Amino acid sequence: MDAAHALIDWSPLLRLLGLAAVIALLPLSWWWLRQRGAPLPRKLAALTALILFLTVDLIAVGAFTRLTDSGLGCPDWPGCYGELSPWGAKAEISAAQAAQPTGPVTHGKAWIEMLHRYLAMAVGALILVAAAMAWRARDQLPHSPWWATATLFWVLVQGAFGKYTVTLKLYPAVVTLHLLGAQLLLALLVLQHESFRARPLAVARQRLAPAWVAVVLALVVMQIALGGWVSTNYAVLACQGFPTCNGQWWPQMDAAHGFTLLRHLGQTGQGGALPFDALVAIHMAHRLFAVVLVLALVALAVALRRSGDAVGRRYALALGGLLLWQLASGLSNVVLGWPIAAALAHSVGAAGLVAVLTSLWARLRQAQSVTALAPAVARRPAGGGAVGARQPRAS
């Protein structure tokens, strides 16, 4: 990229926003036609489910962008060389590709990066619509629209992370935070969806505490962070073979350099080349923590299976299926040399675990609220006013 060209160029912003609005109108129109005449909570739940689907797609496209080294396909932000699309920047991209045919800027990589940005902005537009509708009709909803507000706030933060991913040249800590931010956005959308549906989960009566689910969810997020650190540092192939690593059960590792967070890609904190043993340490940390996570997920799935509740058993089946999916895709990354299909499957499976566990936690919390409100409702005089603010509805 020309040194005189700014890393941040706001000139195409209005055109980008217009394009994002047009893209968002397509799924929004489909949702509106399908939900005509439905109660408002159901409408908003369906809209949030649609946004959830598109957010999982966005996570997959983001992973594909990273896996194809397309994160700097357009090396400025938010447009591409100050243009709406790579078509407008054809001359600049051609010059960069001629100078470095396998470099970070090529026509293909530019389109991958911009498609990721287009989808991200469209998802942001849909989240804005959902938040505005939730606040406008807040008196008709079973819960406060604060989850919708938090989701809107966080999608703006994610946009900032996307900007710094480009302007800081794929700084590993920023890229990993961007990945974690996408999972948080997904979790917020799930919480928003469950708040609109208000479906307390009966397995709460089987003494399955939401805190237990929260601990397992925290372990999943930790493993995603370690996996993101592996991916952003290109450490997937640092260990050849499984279950050993490069023929050893405990290979030589350099965790001090590997887990120095404030450093540039491929460098140590002091600016030297990152040693190979540091990449091995990053890879092995992800493998070892996977053992802890597998045990936790199996224990939770067994507890749900034994809950005696059909919905709890469906959650157990979902967790078991996602766990097998993650083990198969993770092993495929190692033994098949990091194929893009397996890497994408691994990223989507991680998002699935976050979504399922967040949904489970939200419904258990709703059940706790119903249980806590039940004595007050029972003591309420006949014909008396409501006890407290809007109450979650059992289903």
Side-chain angles (χ1 to χ4, degrees):
M1 182 176 179
D2 185 0
H5 199 101
L7 290 175
I8 299 177
D9 188 341
W10 295 107
S11 58
L13 180 61
L14 290 178
R15 288 174 291 159
L16 283 167
L17 292 175
L19 179 60
V22 170
I23 296 172
L25 277 175
L26 297 175
L28 197 62
S29 300
W30 178 83
W31 161 79
W32 185 259
L33 290 172
R34 286 184 59 88
Q35 297 298 320
R36 284 179 302 175
L40 184 63
R42 180 178 168 184
K43 280 184 179 180
L44 283 170
L47 177 58
T48 310
L50 175 61
I51 301 172
L52 265 169
F53 173 77
L54 293 175
T55 301
V56 174
D57 291 337
L58 179 60
I59 289 172
V61 173
F64 186 75
T65 302
R66 184 175 67 255
L67 292 165
T68 55
D69 295 324
S70 302
L72 297 179
C74 287
D76 57 336
W77 188 92
C80 191
Y81 287 96
E83 299 291 339
L84 175 65
S85 76
W87 276 323
K90 188 174 182 179
E92 291 88 345
I93 296 170
S94 295
Q97 185 170 341
Q100 289 183 283
T102 59
V105 179
T106 67
H107 288 285
K109 292 178 180 180
W111 273 110
I112 292 171
E113 169 64 1
M114 288 308 297
L115 289 173
H116 180 224
R117 295 185 196 180
Y118 297 153
L119 181 57
M121 296 183 77
V123 167
L126 290 170
I127 289 172
L128 175 60
V129 170
M133 289 184 63
W135 274 103
R136 184 177 180 182
R138 58 189 178 275
D139 293 335
Q140 304 175 47
L141 298 177
H143 290 282
S144 165
W146 283 111
W147 283 126
T149 308
T151 306
L152 177 60
F153 168 78
W154 191 252
V155 80
L156 296 175
V157 174
Q158 270 296 91
F161 277 130
K163 177 185 75 171
Y164 288 118
T165 295
V166 175
T167 59
L168 295 179
K169 307 296 184 184
L170 306 183
Y171 197 83
V174 173
V175 177
T176 303
L177 286 174
H178 194 41
L179 168 65
L180 289 174
Q183 304 299 328
L184 177 56
L185 178 62
L186 186 71
L188 287 169
L189 285 165
V190 172
L191 291 170
Q192 182 178 331
H193 178 71
E194 294 296 350
S195 74
F196 292 145
R197 297 192 69 181
R199 305 176 301 164
L201 190 58
V203 295
R205 293 196 293 269
Q206 306 296 328
R207 299 182 181 276
L208 182 61
W212 185 7
V213 179
V215 169
V216 178
L217 179 57
L219 293 176
V220 169
V221 171
M222 182 64 188
Q223 181 67 346
I224 290 173
L226 288 171
W229 198 240
V230 170
S231 180
T232 55
N233 284 280
Y234 297 92
V236 175
L237 300 180
C239 281
Q240 299 290 325
F242 184 86
T244 61
C245 172
N246 302 327
Q248 298 176 293
W249 287 101
W250 194 260
Q252 185 71 30
M253 292 178 275
D254 184 353
H257 281 120
F259 288 93
T260 297
L261 300 182
L262 301 181
R263 58 176 176 78
H264 290 279
L265 180 62
Q267 298 180 10
T268 65
Q270 294 74 38
L274 191 68
F276 181 75
D277 290 346
L279 299 179
V280 173
I282 294 170
H283 184 114
M284 285 297 294
H286 186 56
R287 278 197 192 187
L288 294 172
F289 197 80
V291 177
V292 177
L293 179 58
V294 167
L295 294 175
L297 285 170
V298 168
L300 179 58
V302 169
L304 287 165
R305 180 71 181 172
R306 294 177 176 175
S307 67
D309 179 79
V311 179
R313 288 194 293 270
R314 286 200 292 270
Y315 273 103
L317 183 62
L319 289 175
L322 284 168
L323 177 57
L324 292 175
W325 176 279
Q326 286 301 88
L327 290 173
S329 57
L331 288 174
S332 297
N333 282 327
V334 175
V335 300
L336 298 180
W338 203 17
I340 287 182
L344 286 175
H346 206 52
S347 296
V348 172
L353 283 173
V354 170
V356 169
L357 288 168
T358 304
S359 172
L360 177 60
W361 179 86
R363 295 183 67 181
L364 289 172
R365 287 285 297 168
Q366 288 176 10
Q368 276 192 341
S369 298
V370 169
T371 303
L373 286 170
V377 173
R379 292 194 300 269
R380 186 174 61 193
V387 178
R390 62 168 69 85
Q391 300 172 7
R393 303 171 304 187
S395 60

